[in-house]
Amino acid sequence: MKTWLRGHRVTEDEVRAAFDAWLKSRAGRKHGDEVSQIYESPDALIKEIHHEIEGRALSFPAIRFFLRRERTNGKIRLIGVQSIKQQVCDYLAVRALQGLLDAKLGYFQCASVPGKGQTFAKRHNEEWYAEGGYFVKMDVRKCYPSIDQAVLMAYLRKHVGSADVIYVIEAAIANYPGGGLNIGSYLSQYLANLVLSIVYHHIEDLHKHRRNKRLALVSHQLWYMDDLVMFSSSKRDLTMAAREVERFIGFELHMEVKPWKVCKCGLDALDMVGYVIDENGTRLRPQLFLRSRRAFKRMGRNPGVQRARRCISYWGFLKNSDCGQLRMEYKETFDKSKRIVSAWEKRHQCNASVERGPIELRSTSDMTESPNAPSIGISERSLIPKGTQLSLPIM
């Protein structure tokens, strides 16, 4: 069995790379300016994290929590907002674990994996559903809060040979009150996928023996975070597999599976990742359909940047489902939304280029004397909005 990161020590350059990755994320773009206010400078934060890892004194402020109701299903979730320091450590841990994640995550574990999102899951569900047979959809109850930290850390100690990386992860999850994993953490989604990958590979090994042949109980499986769907040509085999998965998750991972039911392809609809697949094709989940239609109508009555972004987001669902009539109805609104967002981003980039500092214009003679002096060209002038006041030197 291979051990990743054997003897690896976290360096200051790795912490800096993790900080740069966080800075490019949505949270970093929003709160990047606060780093200098809290820690004097980014370098001070980076050195503090590295020093505390070396001295095994890594500590984080308490996580702030708030309740949020999911628009898709009405569930109320407890979302945690971590400090900037802990967010950077999350990126540090994920970057260090990337080799382990690439090796251990199953191919059909779709969530949090680039290129394997809802469209990827929908496409394979359509293909397997069309083959006929049976399917069963299972869901882990309260997945993040119910993950056993002892099981998680035992798994990581078994596969990760770096004491520094193990310490960073231990310090991060120790800050989660009540155990489990924090919903809203960048690190939590990858740790949850690692834990569920144990079940993924266990399902791959489920089989029976008939006439000296080893036959798999499950023909296909697909995970979208804690949602699982399994397909098989035999209802009996699929029932056996589902019972074993429920037992394994409860006994080995100390988690609970919601009630499940074996369904017939072509007779029962498969509702997963926002799409409903049945014998008539693929349509949107009813709540998602109503929200998308409402978004396009509001955009048509009162256009705005946020509403335009929302329409562009919903268009991806419409494009990948059998909603041709709705696409024809709102194609003009979608094109208008793209133009609004594109114009806003261009204007935002222009303003950002001006805010970087005053632009100094020099004469040709000055440029001859100083070839490396900054100047403004035609391409740069095109970025400056009309009416912008430039700070020019007095000549």
Side-chain angles (χ1 to χ4, degrees), residues 28 30 42 97-98 138 146 242 332-333 374 380-381:
K30 184 176 180 180
L97 293 175
Q98 194 59 56
M138 309 179 75
S146 64
E332 184 177 348
T333 305
E380 290 172 321
R381 287 192 185 97

Side-chain angles (χ1 to χ4, degrees), residues 44-237:
L45 172 60
I46 293 169
K47 292 181 182 297
E48 178 180 320
I49 293 175
H50 183 249
H51 178 73
E52 290 184 358
I53 293 174
E54 285 188 331
R56 296 297 187 265
L58 192 59
S59 61
F60 306 107
I63 300 175
R64 296 183 293 106
F65 292 92
F66 67 94
L67 295 175
R68 186 179 70 181
R69 182 183 296 274
E70 293 286 348
R71 293 183 177 180
T72 56
N73 49 30
K75 294 180 180 178
I76 298 178
R77 301 192 185 276
L78 184 65
I79 309 297
V81 181
Q82 300 176 159
S83 63
I84 293 176
K85 182 179 179 182
Q86 186 165 354
Q87 292 180 39
V88 174
C89 288
D90 281 359
Y91 277 82
L92 175 64
V94 171
R95 291 170 65 88
L97 293 175
Q98 194 59 56
L100 177 64
L101 291 167
D102 293 340
K104 293 299 182 181
L105 294 190
Y107 181 77
F108 291 107
Q109 281 187 270
C110 300
S112 308
V113 179
K116 294 183 181 180
Q118 292 170 290
T119 304
F120 176 88
K122 187 267 306 183
R123 186 171 66 250
H124 285 88
N125 281 340
E126 287 176 331
E127 177 184 343
W128 299 335
Y129 188 91
E131 293 177 0
Y134 300 86
F135 71 90
V136 59
K137 185 172 179 293
M138 309 179 75
D139 186 11
V140 180
R141 190 184 300 276
K142 296 189 179 297
C143 179
Y144 277 43
S146 64
I147 286 181
D148 192 335
Q149 292 187 1
V151 173
L152 169 63
M153 294 311 303
Y155 179 87
L156 291 175
R157 291 191 185 96
K158 180 180 179 181
H159 294 93
V160 178
S162 171
D164 283 2
V165 175
I166 292 294
Y167 173 72
V168 171
I169 297 174
E170 279 185 321
I173 67 176
N175 200 35
Y176 302 157
L181 296 180
N182 172 37
I183 301 177
S185 165
Y186 179 70
L187 176 62
S188 291
Q189 56 187 333
Y190 293 97
L191 297 181
N193 267 343
L194 273 179
V195 171
L196 296 176
S197 70
I198 302 174
V199 189
Y200 183 97
H201 296 299
H202 181 68
I203 295 174
E204 289 182 320
D205 292 334
L206 295 180
H207 65 279
K208 65 180 181 180
H209 290 281
R210 290 293 183 271
R211 298 177 182 177
N212 297 325
K213 291 184 179 180
R214 189 175 185 270
L215 303 177
L217 297 181
V218 176
S219 57
H220 307 289
Q221 63 165 315
L222 186 140
W223 291 77
Y224 192 80
M225 194 48 71
D226 62 332
D227 288 343
L228 163 67
V229 62
M230 296 186 294
F231 291 84
S232 177
S233 58
S234 170
K235 183 176 181 179
R236 182 173 179 269
D237 291 350

